[in-house]
Amino acid sequence: MKLSRVVARAGKLSRPFRVTNGRRFRLTDVDPGDALDFGGKDKSRAVEELAQQVEALSQLQERLYAQDRWALLAVIQAMDAAGKDGAIKHVMSGVNPQGCQVFSFKVPNSEELDHDYLWRCVRCLPERGRIGIFNRSYYEEVLVVRVHPELLERQKLPAAVRGRNLFQERFEDIRHFEHHLARNGTAICKFFLHMSKEEQKKRFLARLEEPEKQWKFSAVDVRERRYWNQYMHAYEDAIRSTATAHAPWYVVPADHKWFTRLVVSSAIIDTLAGLDLRYPEPPPSAKRELQAAKEELMKRRT
Ligand code: AMP
Ligand code: MG
């Protein structure tokens, strides 16, 4: 399928879930079971479309790399078992590994805690020409840390900067940080894979039952379910406070993994297509050199 058609379709599939202005956003507006016109069952058609998108993404990424001006940062956030890893694996499956970097952010270590919370993420930002994926990110600082304020104790913040508005201040800093990146040529898209609590239960039970999935299971993850509502509130507030035109959130229905993947890849394609990526034109002098090199090669038999 032609790239332009895949790009047009990607816009249709991703924009319904894009939030560019958080003020009126409500998490309850997005149904985790939504699958647009796929109707919840039409998995094979979605898988076919994803294959076309993977091919398109590979073409766009080649241009991004060759042009070497823009970078793309994709931030992926979700509750456990919402399908972050699978989405990254499937969506990036056709992309040249040299042009893509994936970083996962876990509980910060002692070196990381000795710095401001953006530090470890700044070190991993994608360079020009690259796609960078953050599997979790600085957003954990307004999500898990907000739900478990005891985590703040480990952050060694001076009392004078630990005011009542700490999380509002973090939102402000994140907005400014992302604006700074955007103004310097990093396109940003942020994803919240929005899964229902019932679906998470099913997936945890599957992890317990299937031997190849057991390694993914952690008892701690089940305990976190007690805080589900607090997490949803924190996600909603984070999205409301940090969704902007230059760093939109995509709130992606995540009860159907095949649909989640299609929306994530659509959003990345839509973002890249908006950058007007093109292969650099060689300057006239380089054209003459290319012609001379060609003649040189043609002159000899071997
Ligand atoms: P996973 O992505 O399932 O391997 O788990 C990583 C864990 O690290 C999750 O439970 C996150 O909530 C946690 N985590 C990531 N970033 C932070 C952070 N800044 N502070 C505390 N916990 C974090
Ligand atoms: Mg986990």
Side-chain angles (χ1 to χ4, degrees), residues 25-77:
F25 173 74
R26 289 270 174 258
L27 203 48
T28 46
D29 294 346
V30 183
D31 169 10
D34 192 5
L36 290 178
D37 53 340
F38 289 94
K41 284 197 277 296
D42 212 352
K43 180 175 166 179
S44 61
R45 192 158 57 88
V47 170
E48 247 168 62
E49 276 207 45
L50 183 61
Q52 290 164 355
Q53 292 201 347
V54 165
E55 173 59 35
L57 192 54
S58 155
Q59 291 177 30
L60 289 166
Q61 186 258 337
E62 293 275 346
R63 292 183 199 178
L64 178 83
Y65 191 83
Q67 193 184 36
D68 200 21
R69 292 291 180 273
W70 293 97
L72 179 100
L73 173 64
V75 168
I76 309 195
Q77 289 289 156

Side-chain angles (χ1 to χ4, degrees), residues 69-72 128 180-187:
R69 292 291 180 273
W70 293 97
L72 179 100
R128 299 191 195 283
H180 160 74
L181 293 179
R183 286 206 252 236
N184 282 274
T186 298

Side-chain angles (χ1 to χ4, degrees), residues 80 136 207 216 218 221:
D80 278 301
R136 303 188 190 274
R207 283 183 181 184
K216 281 191 175 182
S218 150
D221 295 346

Side-chain angles (χ1 to χ4, degrees), residues 69-125:
R69 292 291 180 273
W70 293 97
L72 179 100
L73 173 64
V75 168
I76 309 195
Q77 289 289 156
M79 298 297 283
D80 278 301
K84 286 188 280 108
D85 297 24
I88 294 168
K89 179 170 124 185
H90 283 84
V91 171
M92 303 315 286
S93 59
V95 166
N96 180 349
Q98 293 214 68
C100 178
Q101 302 149 316
V102 184
F103 294 96
S104 300
F105 295 97
K106 312 271 177 189
V107 179
N109 63 28
S110 58
E111 187 192 16
E112 290 165 347
L113 289 171
D114 261 339
H115 293 268
D116 74 280
Y117 68 87
L118 288 177
W119 180 78
R120 65 175 180 161
C121 294
V122 170
R123 301 170 93 201
C124 299
L125 286 171

Side-chain angles (χ1 to χ4, degrees), residues 208-253:
L208 284 168
E209 270 148 36
E210 292 170 41
E212 348 39 294
K213 286 189 178 168
Q214 275 166 9
W215 67 274
K216 281 191 175 182
F217 183 79
S218 150
V220 179
D221 295 346
V222 170
R223 248 180 285 142
E224 282 306 279
R225 281 169 62 78
R226 293 182 201 158
Y227 302 94
W228 187 272
N229 292 343
Q230 287 97 311
Y231 272 110
M232 291 307 112
H233 174 260
Y235 267 107
E236 184 176 76
D237 204 22
I239 293 165
R240 287 173 65 91
S241 307
T242 61
T244 60
H246 55 265
W249 274 100
Y250 290 84
V251 181
V252 185

Side-chain angles (χ1 to χ4, degrees), residues 124-136:
C124 299
L125 286 171
E127 47 198 278
R128 299 191 195 283
R130 306 287 175 97
I131 296 176
I133 298 192
F134 283 1
N135 182 346
R136 303 188 190 274

